[in-house]
Amino acid sequence: MDAHSYFERLVETAGLIARHPDYPGKHRVVEDCRSEVEDLAHAGRISAEQGQVLLHILAGACQQTA
């Protein structure tokens, strides 16, 4: 899988998580995803800019549950 399609899949997955209706534990799942995004960026599997895009998407999920 090339880096672009990998990132596209990550964006799609983050969006699904962010749009999912609220449920007990959703905030914890979002926080776990944020941590994984940071790990991917640190390991060089995605760029810092791509990481910021994903974190922005996941931040929308936290605003829904707040």
Side-chain angles (χ1 to χ4, degrees):
M1 181 180 312
D2 66 41
H4 184 70
S5 62
Y6 179 65
F7 175 67
E8 288 176 353
R9 291 192 60 175
L10 290 172
V11 168
E12 187 177 317
T13 302
L16 288 171
I17 292 166
R19 291 187 307 272
H20 194 283
D22 195 19
Y23 59 89
K26 180 178 178 181
H27 181 74
R28 180 67 198 153
V29 170
V30 171
E31 289 306 312
D32 288 347
C33 290
R34 291 175 58 84
S35 178
E36 288 184 35
V37 166
E38 291 168 357
D39 290 346
L40 288 170
H42 181 72
R45 295 191 60 200
I46 60 174
S47 70
E49 294 81 16
Q50 289 172 327
Q52 289 302 311
V53 168
L54 295 169
L55 293 174
H56 179 75
I57 292 168
L58 292 169
C62 291
Q63 292 172 354
Q64 290 176 3
T65 62

